[in-house]
Amino acid sequence: MTRTPLLIALAAAAALAGCNDKQAAKIPPPHRMTAEDIGHYCGMNVLEHPGPKGHIFAASLIEPVWFSSVRDTIAFTMLPDEPKDILAIYVSDMGKTPDWDKPGADNWIEARKALFVIESRVRSGMGGDEAVPFSDRAAAEKFAGENGGRIVGFDEVPRDYVLSSA
């Protein structure tokens, strides 16, 4: 009889581990950027603008939400009327891009793992301030050295920097 509670506990632990594996597996991978992707706030094709882009997956939405700038991508996470059930936030890794005008269709990094150069002289594709994402600190430092700005993590990007008008 003493084995029965142990077996039940082990079965429950295995079931919970299975649920956690299923939840982890539900985090969608980044999508390749195409001509059909329209910026959430600007209503324009994201490929028509230079600079880094972003897209967000939320559990309550069927399709990813696309953004013409990383600043808009981060703003989505801060605004009270946007979904809060975010599964993944992908931004262009500008350390792996051919150039500013062609940020790449599939060189994404999860935003919460990226480093951002903020307050640089470089403007976003929509003409405003930009949070320029990198997966590699050396690439971020090189960009900041050439364009000014400072390096911060996702949670350190100031709310005022993202939500202030250009």
Side-chain angles (χ1 to χ4, degrees):
M1 274 220 188
T2 57
R3 280 198 220 184
T4 303
L6 177 61
L7 291 175
I8 291 171
L10 289 172
L16 287 174
C19 289
N20 288 339
D21 289 343
K22 288 177 185 172
Q23 287 174 342
K26 288 184 181 181
I27 294 177
H31 282 202
R32 181 176 180 80
M33 192 167 36
T34 69
E36 287 80 41
D37 300 323
I38 303 298
H40 181 65
Y41 297 123
C42 68
M44 299 153 100
N45 183 297
V46 296
L47 290 175
E48 294 176 2
H49 304 284
K53 312 293 183 257
H55 61 293
I56 292 178
F57 291 89
S60 59
L61 302 174
I62 296 170
E63 296 290 325
V65 182
W66 287 90
F67 302 92
S68 297
S69 74
V70 171
R71 185 174 167 205
D72 285 353
T73 309
I74 297 171
F76 183 92
T77 70
M78 296 176 171
L79 293 171
D81 293 337
E82 300 295 1
K84 299 300 172 218
D85 58 346
I86 294 172
L87 300 172
I89 307 165
Y90 294 107
V91 291
S92 303
D93 183 348
M94 295 305 283
K96 296 180 179 175
T97 183
D99 64 53
W100 187 259
D101 291 331
K102 297 176 183 149
D106 53 15
N107 52 304
W108 304 107
I109 180 171
E110 218 297 337
R112 293 168 283 204
K113 296 177 182 175
L115 296 169
F116 297 87
V117 176
I118 62 170
E119 302 165 353
S120 76
R121 291 181 294 278
V122 178
R123 308 279 45 132
S124 75
M126 297 303 291
D129 292 332
E130 185 59 286
V132 185
F134 295 89
S135 62
D136 178 63
R137 178 167 287 280
E141 289 171 351
K142 180 178 185 232
F143 182 89
E146 293 170 355
N147 300 289
R150 63 186 174 106
I151 300 170
V152 297
F154 180 80
D155 292 330
E156 300 167 311
V157 176
R159 184 177 182 84
D160 289 347
Y161 181 76
V162 172
L163 299 179
S164 67
S165 58

